[in-house]
Amino acid sequence: MAGRSCTVFVGNIPYDATEEDLRAVLSRAGTVDSFRLVYDKDTKQPKGYAFCDYSDNETAMNAIKTLSDVECNGRRLRLDLADNALRGGKGGGSMLPLALPA
């Protein structure tokens, strides 16, 4: 599991959603180790995305699979592995294996 991300990017978050609202949704997939809602540094308003850390890659992948498009305060959340989101990747399931089985 080394090198595999356990951090999930959460996008399309409604601006009125609280951290507690989001933790409640995200904890349906497993224990949330940490959660970071991103705020604009000037206005101090939420930017509409966050990062959620799970204890292992399997839980993170389960969250992406089961919680993508779940509604929160009228908006459908978008989840992806954080490293994919930072590279501009789209959606879970498009990952290639790191190595083919022997």
Side-chain angles (χ1 to χ4, degrees):
M1 269 186 238
R4 300 295 303 262
S5 178
C6 299
T7 302
V8 174
F9 169 86
V10 185
N12 202 35
I13 296 173
Y15 297 112
D16 63 342
T18 66
E19 183 173 328
E20 291 76 25
D21 293 337
L22 296 163
R23 277 184 177 268
V25 170
L26 296 167
S27 66
R28 293 180 200 167
T31 303
V32 173
D33 286 350
S34 71
F35 179 79
R36 298 171 307 285
L37 190 56
V38 180
Y39 291 89
D40 183 278
K41 64 181 177 182
D42 296 324
T43 67
K44 308 294 187 239
Q45 297 299 311
K47 289 185 127 187
Y49 66 95
F51 296 93
C52 180
D53 292 321
Y54 290 99
S55 58
D56 57 59
N57 186 37
E58 185 177 316
T59 306
M61 293 306 292
N62 182 50
I64 292 166
K65 186 177 183 181
T66 60
L67 300 176
S68 288
D69 290 327
V70 165
E71 191 172 307
C72 178
N73 294 5
R75 295 184 79 171
R76 294 191 181 277
L77 298 178
R78 183 176 75 81
L79 279 72
D80 197 356
L81 285 176
D83 55 354
N84 285 352
L86 295 174
R87 279 183 272 156
K90 294 189 178 189
S94 61
M95 298 182 347
L96 295 175
L98 295 176
L100 295 173

